[in-house]
Amino acid sequence: MKRIAALLCVLCLLAVPVQGEALTVDAESCILMEKETGEVLYAENEHEQLEPASVTKVMTILLVMEAIDGGTLRYEDMVTVSANAASMGGSQVYLKENEQMSVEDLLKAVCVASGNDAAVALGEHIAGSIENFVAKMNQRAKELGMNDTTFLNCTGLPAEGHVTSAYDIALMSRELVLNHPDVRRFTTIWMDSLRDGAFTLSNTNRLVRYYEGCTGLKTGSTDSALYCLSATAERDGMELIAVVLKSPTSTQRFESAKALLNYGFSLYSLTKVAPEQVLPAVPVRLGSKDYVQPVLGEGSTLLLEKETAANLTQELHLAEELQAPVEEGQQIGELLVTAGGEQVASIPIVAGETVARLTYGQILTKFLRMAFMVKSFHE
């Protein structure tokens, strides 16, 4: 740990990469990913299949948020707790059979207190049965490219064959925080309550209180999985995801996540590239419009080492003329971004609108109109 602290001090002071120096993390597996680009900044054994414990619930939360944002579920909907949900052991909020609780409170219970009973209640409500919900979890995992993952439950309670990897957890964590930012209302809670204040909730993720910029996300621990964590934090407009699996102690998992996050924040930054000049309209031959306005395409947000980001130059390449038809989004140029003579990125310049090709009749009409204007001018 002293070695980690010393390394991070150097990194913070210099804000440049330390060549040949590896980051030490006290865990079987780990990964550090940037949210916007999905780029991996650091990883060790990131595809090793391990038990995730309650970090499993990131997928449970993701499916709940997708249902809410998709309009098939509402925060205010009331859920009736089944006997199965009420029977869940481990971390729980002590739901009773037939007790009714809102989706919002159940989601809060999952995000803050890691309630197994709340997770099962939500899963049953969404899919009709926990078996159907777990099938949805595995289907969504496949869609996200989580090839190391097999879910057998929605809680993370021990089950032989229930495995994932640090890389896969980073993928589903990224999907959650990138596309469902409202989840922060729950994942950043330190203390709250349920049942009109009768039941106190305290976040299992202590980074929420003690790490600057922490936005979540989910802890987990069992005797076999040991201590796991998917931690998210944002500083200066950049959000990082640090996943730690099978750490020996609770303290070590949090310190390892902090080390990963500190490493990322000290070395990297997100830079949004914009053209240094207004992009000129490009002439279009035989088009329904004479010009098309170019716009910057995707990929203008770059994840760069801070030293590189401070020394960027641009070179614009744009078509001098286009032949109709021109489709919206069609590439018509590129913005080359370099640093120290080395190319950093090539960002496409695309057509901002569609310009149809003139028909023969329209061409003839346009020609006659121009001829008439020329004749009128000479008269």
Side-chain angles (χ1 to χ4, degrees), residues 283-363:
V284 180
R285 292 183 60 195
L286 302 178
S288 57
K289 294 183 178 180
D290 294 330
Y291 294 89
V292 66
Q293 180 60 45
V295 296
L296 200 62
E298 295 183 356
S300 60
T301 299
L302 306 179
L303 178 66
L304 301 169
E305 293 179 358
K306 289 185 175 180
E307 184 178 34
T308 300
N311 296 283
L312 297 182
T313 58
Q314 298 182 7
E315 187 177 319
L316 178 64
H317 297 272
L318 195 60
E320 294 182 0
E321 186 180 60
L322 297 169
Q323 183 86 20
V326 178
E327 298 294 327
E328 183 179 2
Q330 175 182 327
Q331 184 167 349
I332 58 176
E334 65 177 347
L335 184 67
L336 292 180
V337 183
T338 60
E342 297 291 328
Q343 182 175 318
V344 172
S346 172
I347 304 170
I349 304 293
V350 300
E353 59 184 331
T354 295
V355 178
R357 183 181 176 87
L358 293 175
T359 65
Y360 288 116
Q362 289 171 328
I363 293 173

Side-chain angles (χ1 to χ4, degrees), residues 245-279:
L245 293 180
K246 210 166 185 178
S247 192
T249 68
S250 178
T251 297
Q252 284 173 304
R253 85 175 148 187
F254 289 121
E255 290 303 311
S256 293
K258 284 167 58 178
L260 286 165
L261 293 169
N262 287 341
Y263 173 86
F265 286 129
S266 65
L267 288 181
Y268 296 92
S269 66
L270 271 185
T271 300
K272 294 187 181 296
V273 176
E276 295 171 342
Q277 60 192 47
V278 176
L279 296 176

Side-chain angles (χ1 to χ4, degrees), residues 138-160:
N138 284 306
Q139 178 60 36
R140 194 70 182 98
K142 185 181 298 184
E143 293 168 356
L144 291 173
M146 296 169 59
N147 299 321
D148 307 321
T149 298
T150 300
F151 291 122
L152 297 178
N153 58 55
C154 68
T155 61
L157 287 169
E160 187 175 354

